[in-house]
Amino acid sequence: MKVSERMPIVAGNWKMNLGPTEARDFAASLLSDLVTVRGVEIVLCPPAISLPAVSAVLSGTNIKLGAQNMFDAERGAFTGEISPLMLHGLCEYVILGHSERRTYFGETDDIVNRKALAAFEHNIRPIVCVGEHLEDRDANRTERVITSQVYGSLKGFPAHRLNELVVAYEPIWAIGTGRAATPQDAADVAALIRALLVELYGAVEAATIRVQYGGSVTTANAGSFAAIEDIDGSLVGGASLKPDFAEIARQTLKAKGARGAR
Ligand code: PGA
């Protein structure tokens, strides 16, 4: 697959912000701007409790809905968890293995891998996050950390469906800090991720996987990340809660060159 054939993707991770009423109102306020950006897939990821309210707003538009987490079992005694069966039909995407899940909720590569496999089984597209701590980067361990996360979290997927997978490279030190990675650092790690995916799945299949950059993405820097060949868009936290979120998608489109209308 040529690079130009991968549809760019910009996702907004609202994290633990906006309950159902606020989420509905905010999504509605963004909508008229978002729908004008064609040729980039745009995904809104509100908290689980707000998914139905946002789904109602997005219904009939080209804007997609994503969850921020999911358990791997279908049902049962798992207090507080949300199953893939519950998300199926509601969300097209689910963010998995975000560093906040890994750090505060003890998610390991193995857990993330099980969740991603369950997402595939239930036709929900996983956005799987990987990224190194600052200490890792400072100690030149970025390659080692990313390699073990990619091998641990991204193994065993159905090779012919890898175009449904999104991998988000999110250096932990760049998340919510206002200190984004440099485009060169992001390019280097995105290339590493793709090389590892080639090892896992072969060149043809790996070329269909979309890779995002995440960590302090704003309207000012989104274009410089999207200009990188191995990066297909961004996973946006703080700036996705701002009224000009659509501008990030627009900058992404501009950097990638206009695609045909969806
Ligand atoms: P940020 O968050 O854009 O606020 O840095 C990114 C993320 O956590 O996905």
Side-chain angles (χ1 to χ4, degrees), residues 7-233:
M7 172 72 87
I9 178 166
V10 171
N13 173 9
W14 295 359
K15 307 194 179 184
M16 201 173 69
N17 297 291
L18 307 182
T21 308
E22 298 161 305
R24 180 199 64 202
D25 292 350
F26 179 59
S29 74
L30 294 180
L31 197 60
S32 59
D33 200 9
L34 290 179
V35 296
T36 63
V37 191
R38 299 204 154 250
V40 181
E41 207 169 7
I42 300 175
V43 188
L44 302 184
C45 304
I49 197 169
S50 301
L51 286 167
V54 175
S55 171
V57 173
L58 303 184
S59 151
T61 74
N62 50 5
I63 311 304
K64 310 279 170 59
L65 190 64
Q68 298 175 13
N69 179 34
M70 182 192 86
F71 194 52
D72 62 297
E74 290 190 342
R75 60 173 66 76
F78 302 104
T79 302
E81 292 297 323
I82 294 184
S83 108
L85 286 180
M86 297 167 188
L87 295 182
H88 178 85
L90 180 61
C91 298
E92 203 153 324
Y93 285 91
V94 60
I95 300 170
L96 295 173
H98 189 282
S99 65
E100 287 149 19
R101 303 278 335 155
R102 292 176 184 261
T103 302
Y104 304 129
F105 304 98
E107 291 196 10
T108 60
D109 288 329
D110 195 46
I111 291 171
V112 175
N113 186 239
R114 285 207 304 271
K115 292 182 173 195
L117 287 166
F120 269 110
E121 253 171 59
H122 293 84
N123 291 314
I124 303 164
R125 299 174 167 216
I127 300 174
V128 179
C129 305
V130 296
E132 81 286 0
H133 286 278
L134 188 57
E135 309 85 79
D136 297 321
R137 176 156 287 271
D138 288 346
N140 283 324
R141 286 194 302 259
T142 301
E143 186 171 337
R144 199 193 312 163
V145 169
I146 298 295
T147 302
S148 90
Q149 288 180 343
V150 167
Y151 267 89
S153 314
L154 302 177
K155 61 184 180 227
F157 297 158
H160 63 288
R161 289 176 56 197
L162 289 176
N163 61 338
E164 296 169 38
L165 170 67
V166 179
V167 181
Y169 168 52
E170 298 209 310
I172 294 167
W173 45 271
I175 296 177
T177 58
R179 180 188 161 193
T182 64
Q184 188 57 54
D185 286 343
D188 290 346
V189 179
L192 168 67
I193 289 171
R194 204 173 292 284
L196 295 166
L197 292 167
V198 169
E199 285 175 22
L200 274 171
Y201 294 107
V204 173
E205 307 296 355
T208 68
I209 298 169
R210 290 177 295 174
V211 177
Q212 295 175 314
Y213 167 78
S216 296
V217 171
T218 63
T219 52
N221 61 19
S224 59
F225 293 112
I228 295 162
E229 181 174 313
D230 277 308
I231 293 182
D232 302 293

